[in-house]
Amino acid sequence: MAFEVNGDRRELTLDNRTTLLDALREHLGLTGAKKGCDHGQCGSCTVLLDGRRAKSCLVLTVTVDGRSVLTVEGLAGPDELSPLQAAFIAHDAFQCGYCTPGQLCSARGMLDEVARGWPSAVTDDLDSPPELTDAEIRERMAGNLCRCAAYPHIVAAIRETAATP
């Protein structure tokens, strides 16, 4: 199978039961996405699949043939961090750092959803673009857990990034 990872075409021959998480970590050496619960509940393995958030522990690699995957390793430019990564550092939006790659990918996907005008379960006005309140950010990030409880810092980093033109 062949698919794009962080802008590069990659070809792999794998057992058809191999998850995307295992393909990324064990076969491509991209260890940013973490294996937390291995059941899609913690979000530490979140990547962007064709621009949408996906829990890579639940995705079989055979289903990504011809598709595009963006991992935390692909968020930054060659010489500098992405604005989101810089905001995470500035707001101390991580403690142990284990969940941070998944948080970053989920936040990037969430910000893209907001830019497209997609509502969430707490969006008040479905006829206007979503307003990125703290409640809106928390709802949209609910699939990503942080055992260190850095949630207020994560919300602040996302809010700052969203406010930056």
Side-chain angles (χ1 to χ4, degrees), residues 68-133:
S68 174
V69 176
L70 182 68
T71 69
V72 70
E73 291 91 346
L75 289 179
D79 298 324
E80 62 185 36
L81 296 174
S82 72
L84 186 61
Q85 290 169 313
F88 263 61
I89 291 170
H91 288 276
D92 197 22
F94 52 89
Q95 297 294 312
C96 77
Y98 195 84
C99 72
T100 305
Q103 297 278 1
L104 285 164
C105 284
S106 189
R108 175 74 273 144
M110 181 214 59
L111 289 169
D112 292 343
E113 291 167 9
V114 170
R116 289 186 208 111
W118 294 359
S120 78
V122 298
T123 302
D124 289 330
D125 182 0
L126 299 179
D127 295 322
S128 300
E131 182 184 338
L132 205 53
T133 64

Side-chain angles (χ1 to χ4, degrees), residues 1-133:
M1 70 196 73
F3 55 100
E4 186 178 291
V5 180
N6 300 330
D8 295 325
R9 181 178 160 83
R10 305 301 296 262
E11 293 187 25
L12 293 173
T13 301
L14 300 170
D15 183 299
N16 63 3
R17 298 168 292 181
T18 305
T19 65
L20 178 57
L21 177 60
D22 287 337
L24 293 170
R25 291 182 60 79
E26 306 299 327
H27 299 277
L28 297 177
L30 297 170
T31 57
K34 303 293 187 253
K35 188 175 280 198
C37 67
D38 214 18
H39 296 293
Q41 296 176 345
C42 72
S44 63
C45 67
T46 303
V47 298
L48 299 176
L49 181 57
D50 294 332
R52 307 258 332 251
R53 297 183 277 177
K55 300 201 177 153
S56 61
C57 72
L58 298 179
V59 176
L60 293 176
T61 309
V62 296
T63 67
V64 301
D65 191 35
R67 298 174 74 185
S68 174
V69 176
L70 182 68
T71 69
V72 70
E73 291 91 346
L75 289 179
D79 298 324
E80 62 185 36
L81 296 174
S82 72
L84 186 61
Q85 290 169 313
F88 263 61
I89 291 170
H91 288 276
D92 197 22
F94 52 89
Q95 297 294 312
C96 77
Y98 195 84
C99 72
T100 305
Q103 297 278 1
L104 285 164
C105 284
S106 189
R108 175 74 273 144
M110 181 214 59
L111 289 169
D112 292 343
E113 291 167 9
V114 170
R116 289 186 208 111
W118 294 359
S120 78
V122 298
T123 302
D124 289 330
D125 182 0
L126 299 179
D127 295 322
S128 300
E131 182 184 338
L132 205 53
T133 64

